[in-house]
Amino acid sequence: MTEALRFIMGAEKPNEYDIFTHAAGPEGKLPLTSEMLMNLPSGDLFGMSQNVGMGWKPERLLGKQVLILSTQGGVRGEDGTPIALGYHTGHWEVGLLVKEAALEVSALGGVPFAAFVSDPCDGRSQGTTGMFDSLPYRNDAAMVYRRLIRSLPTRSGVIGIGTCDKGLPAMMIALAAMRDLPAVIVPGGVTLPPTAGEDAAKIQTIGTRFAHGQITLDEAADLGCRVCATPGGGCQFLGTAASAQVVAEALGISLIHSALAPSGQPIWSNMARQSARAVQWMDAQGMTMRDILTDAAFENAMAVHAAFGGSTNLLLHIPAIAYAASCRIPDVADWTRMNKAVPRLVSVLPNGPEYHPTIRVFMAGGVPEVMLHLRKLGLLRLQAKTVSGESLDALLDWWEHSERRHNVRKRLQEVDGIDPDQVIMNPQRASGRGLTSTVTFPIGNLAPEGSVIKSTSIDPSVVSEDGVYRHIGQAKVFTAEKDAVKAIKLGQIQAGDIIVLMGGGPSGTGMEETYQLTSALKHLPFGKHVTLLTDARFSGVSTGACIGHISPEALAGGPLGKVRNGDWIDVCIDRKKLEGSVHFIGQGEERFSPEAGAAILAARPLHPDLAPNPALPDDTRLWAALQAASGGTWRGSIYDVDRIVETLQAGMEALTRSKQGTGG
């Protein structure tokens, strides 16, 4: 035996060869009737055999079948110790929710099934080629979830359990498409912050801060070790993961006060049992997702997103959920209208003004507490139905006087010494504290089809008294994120610069997140005086004057791809009116109007270094093409099958004509 085989095969274990070649099989009999044998498809009948083969009692086979889907990742021992790690804490404890939901389904006489599609971590993949699969993963996972649901044709309802940036949006997209099924989303909750230390957003800047001498090697190692203070749940800030939980509840597809619950704690695990009861109730009442996900539900979700100051990534996810639900897809005009009407009311990481972690938002009352304020302002569609079977109006009536509300808010005061009304504020207090509306959509000769900025997160110290951020500066152009990050670490970016990162859109990198850049700028003393322009997107925790989603993307011929080092750019963001512009206005000593700048850009070639990242996977290239044919990022990067088929047919016909015309 070679050394390799000896190492791989290990020591001989004779008892392994005591192999059995048959078994008695489960005891009992399938609860069959002659009618079942005559009329049921063979798949249903064989399914019963499979179920008892896995150990289910034959006499319990006829209960309602409920499919529990989750983003569970890793292998966790019964005592919580890791056997194999997951990609992130968000899905590490999700299996506990699956177990609780399954036990409740069983206790109610049903038959639980479970399937898992794990999800990546945007934090883990920042600055790596893993980011090229981040956004495309969402569509793929939603497709797999839908196939899993349809592959269990005997299911009567679905429970979807998930957290984090792409797993939870994928789950919502999948369940939204199940128009004729009862379904409930169980948000996977949040992790706790360390008693002394940093949150999971700031910790991602240890490399840049070390490079600039702000922290020592020992401090970086110590802080990094303690940041995930509990082993499960999404990050402690209101990024994409937390915003998705908030949106699920606002849509009415999650139970009241379920978003942002502390992972691993009793109030969190009980959500799974409550959700199992909700699915049974929906089934008994004949309620399905069609009744919950309406245009009114999406109006509510957009309103709550604005009131929380949620991640701009939800501008990609909410339209995709709406498309899956066959509802009206919100457009830029809808987002602008909503953000002008709805005040921001929540003081939370990363927006502030006080940087409370998400667990405090939950304890201050979470989504229903915010909705109480929005109801008083007349900003909610109160007739919208929820998975509880109640209208939103009735649900908020219960919440306002509930023991749950009283106890969690009181607990926040007792444990952290925090007044819950300082975390979730009324509109008057929020305005007095300087909270501004969430997002603005700048246009201009560099963004003729639009762009987006979380304008509420611009540092107030660089905003004029009239509420306007103004910056005229010279461009420093990069065609790869790693080069821009290196420039920051080496001190090549200074106050007053405008960083232009091109080629980060769907066809260049899969529309990567560029949190490395925004986080570095936030935690460097001069960073608030730097503006970032890109056709990529930002993490939900990003802050500062960073404008993303610039369209058309550079590789599609967008004018951003024609900017050169030293070009003069004028950025103007009105945080009160939620209006903005981004214009190329000069080169060298010359200055000109935006209209003249547009003409110069039109005549320029694309940047010579602009190209798709050579490591971009074919899977992502295909995703980029399909979502572009479906309307692009402003429609949520969806797969609109009718549009895709129409585009393919037109292309095939054009190819046929071309071959005929050339005699091919």
Side-chain angles (χ1 to χ4, degrees):
M1 180 181 288
T2 65
E3 182 180 352
L5 280 176
R6 189 178 302 111
F7 172 73
I8 293 167
M9 301 303 291
E12 290 288 327
K13 297 179 181 179
N15 64 322
E16 288 183 352
Y17 306 128
D18 295 336
I19 300 169
F20 298 97
T21 60
H22 56 81
E27 294 183 358
K29 295 183 178 181
L30 299 182
L32 297 173
T33 65
S34 57
E35 182 181 0
M36 293 165 68
L37 290 170
M38 292 294 293
N39 298 314
L40 288 182
S42 65
D44 288 3
L45 298 173
F46 181 57
M48 288 186 175
S49 298
Q50 294 267 27
N51 295 345
V52 296
M54 288 182 279
W56 201 255
K57 298 298 182 184
E59 62 271 19
R60 300 191 60 199
L61 282 174
L62 298 183
K64 289 291 186 78
Q65 297 181 2
V66 176
L67 174 58
I68 307 168
L69 294 173
S70 83
T71 57
Q72 179 181 333
V75 180
R76 181 182 177 278
E78 286 296 319
D79 61 353
T81 57
I83 297 170
L85 294 172
Y87 286 20
H88 54 80
T89 61
H91 61 215
W92 177 246
E93 293 185 323
V94 158
L96 300 176
L97 292 175
V98 174
K99 181 178 179 180
E100 293 296 326
L103 289 172
E104 189 67 18
V105 169
S106 181
L108 295 169
V111 182
F113 287 76
F116 316 97
V117 180
S118 195
D119 55 339
C121 174
D122 279 3
R124 185 181 293 272
S125 59
Q126 289 292 333
T128 76
T129 55
M131 183 52 70
F132 301 164
D133 288 289
S134 172
L135 183 56
Y137 162 90
R138 185 206 66 181
N139 288 12
D140 295 344
M143 190 180 300
V144 174
Y145 281 130
R146 289 193 296 266
R147 291 191 187 280
L148 286 171
I149 294 169
R150 293 191 295 264
S151 296
L152 186 67
T154 49
R155 74 283 184 266
S156 64
V158 184
I159 300 171
I161 304 174
T163 58
C164 293
D165 292 26
K166 302 305 176 299
L168 184 52
M171 187 75 75
M172 288 194 279
I173 291 167
L175 266 60
M178 299 296 112
R179 304 282 285 151
D180 298 319
L181 278 177
V184 175
I185 290 285
V186 183
V190 300
T191 190
L192 300 186
T195 303
E198 297 181 350
D199 66 89
K202 188 173 183 180
I203 207 68
Q204 295 182 53
T205 67
I206 53 177
T208 298
R209 285 186 286 151
F210 175 77
H212 283 261
Q214 294 186 8
I215 57 174
T216 66
L217 175 61
D218 187 64
E219 287 171 334
D222 176 58
L223 292 168
C225 188
R226 287 184 283 112
V227 65
C228 297
T230 50
C235 294
Q236 307 106 331
F237 48 81
L238 192 80
T240 305
S243 298
Q245 294 189 39
V246 165
V247 163
E249 187 175 335
L251 283 168
I253 57 177
S254 291
L255 292 178
I256 188 169
H257 198 227
S258 59
L260 313 181
S263 181
Q265 299 189 39
I267 198 168
W268 169 85
S269 57
N270 192 34
M271 290 190 318
R273 289 185 175 268
Q274 293 164 339
S275 298
R277 295 196 290 272
V279 165
Q280 187 200 53
W281 183 264
M282 291 176 71
D283 184 48
Q285 302 301 311
M287 287 183 62
T288 70
M289 290 299 271
R290 187 184 306 277
D291 302 304
I292 311 298
L293 287 177
T294 61
D295 290 345
F298 285 97
E299 286 278 307
N300 289 339
M302 294 170 70
V304 172
H305 175 272
F308 268 80
S311 163
T312 54
N313 277 320
L314 272 295
L315 275 67
L316 293 166
H317 301 320
I318 289 178
I321 300 166
Y323 173 75
S326 298
C327 291
R328 180 180 175 274
I329 298 177
D331 56 23
V332 170
D334 294 313
W335 286 104
T336 301
R337 166 179 56 84
M338 193 62 71
N339 279 273
K340 286 184 175 181
V342 177
R344 182 164 71 90
L345 304 176
V346 183
S347 182
V348 62
L349 285 163
N351 301 330
E354 293 180 18
Y355 299 116
H356 296 293
T358 44
I359 178 60
R360 288 183 181 169
V361 179
F362 176 79
M363 295 179 73
V367 172
E369 195 68 23
V370 171
M371 282 184 153
L372 286 180
H373 294 300
L374 298 183
R375 180 168 71 167
K376 290 178 182 178
L377 295 173
L379 294 171
L380 295 176
R381 302 291 187 91
L382 297 170
Q383 78 280 10
K385 289 289 185 183
T386 70
V387 291
S388 67
E390 302 286 350
S391 69
L392 178 59
D393 202 23
L395 211 55
L396 293 178
D397 284 343
W398 170 80
W399 171 257
E400 190 168 14
H401 305 288
S402 68
E403 183 178 346
R404 183 184 180 103
R405 179 190 184 220
H406 170 77
N407 285 335
V408 293
R409 286 166 58 84
K410 180 182 177 183
R411 179 72 174 168
L412 178 59
Q413 185 81 61
E414 291 173 347
V415 174
D416 283 3
I418 299 294
D419 178 358
D421 291 330
Q422 294 286 358
V423 180
I424 297 175
M425 307 179 196
N426 63 39
Q428 295 74 30
R429 176 175 288 178
S431 177
R433 293 296 307 278
L435 276 72
T436 56
S437 297
T438 306
V439 294
T440 300
F441 298 89
I443 57 173
N445 64 22
L446 287 176
E449 294 180 6
S451 62
V452 65
I453 179 173
K454 189 193 281 189
S455 49
T456 193
S457 67
I458 300 175
D459 191 308
S461 67
V462 296
V463 177
S464 302
E465 291 185 4
D466 59 359
V468 179
Y469 172 79
R470 299 178 176 89
H471 184 186
I472 297 177
Q474 288 183 283
K476 288 193 174 177
V477 177
F478 302 92
T479 57
E481 185 198 22
K482 65 179 181 179
D483 295 334
V485 171
K486 184 178 181 180
I488 291 175
K489 288 184 175 181
L490 294 178
Q492 296 169 356
I493 301 296
Q494 288 90 36
D497 286 341
I498 294 182
I499 297 175
V500 174
L501 175 60
M502 59 179 68
S507 59
T509 65
M511 203 176 189
E512 64 184 344
E513 277 189 357
T514 56
Y515 181 60
Q516 283 195 110
L517 291 173
T518 57
S519 62
L521 293 172
K522 177 178 181 178
H523 295 290
L524 294 176
F526 63 85
K528 62 185 178 182
H529 300 290
V530 175
T531 298
L532 171 61
L533 309 180
T534 183
D535 50 1
R537 60 193 175 92
F538 300 117
S539 166
V541 73
S542 293
T543 59
C546 46
I547 300 173
H549 298 222
I550 291 179
S551 299
E553 66 171 311
L555 282 163
L560 186 74
K562 300 179 178 182
V563 177
R564 301 293 190 269
N565 280 320
D567 282 348
W568 288 92
I569 295 174
D570 182 2
V571 176
C572 183
I573 309 294
D574 190 322
R575 298 206 308 169
K576 293 182 178 179
K577 295 181 180 179
L578 299 186
E579 298 172 352
S581 60
V582 51
H583 290 300
F584 163 61
I585 60 161
Q587 51 188 354
E589 299 298 319
E590 185 183 6
R591 299 291 184 277
F592 33 73
S593 69
E595 293 75 19
I600 293 171
L601 288 171
R604 273 187 184 178
L606 290 172
H607 194 286
D609 297 333
L610 182 64
N613 191 293
L616 194 69
D618 285 347
D619 299 324
T620 301
R621 292 177 57 218
L622 178 61
W623 164 84
L626 293 176
Q627 66 88 38
S630 303
T633 57
W634 292 113
R635 290 192 83 218
S637 295
I638 59 175
Y639 292 161
D640 185 326
V641 176
D642 290 337
R643 283 195 182 193
I644 292 169
V645 170
E646 182 182 1
T647 302
L648 286 172
Q649 288 177 338
M652 292 169 68
E653 290 170 1
L655 284 172
T656 299
R657 288 195 298 271
S658 175
K659 290 180 179 179
Q660 291 173 342
T662 58

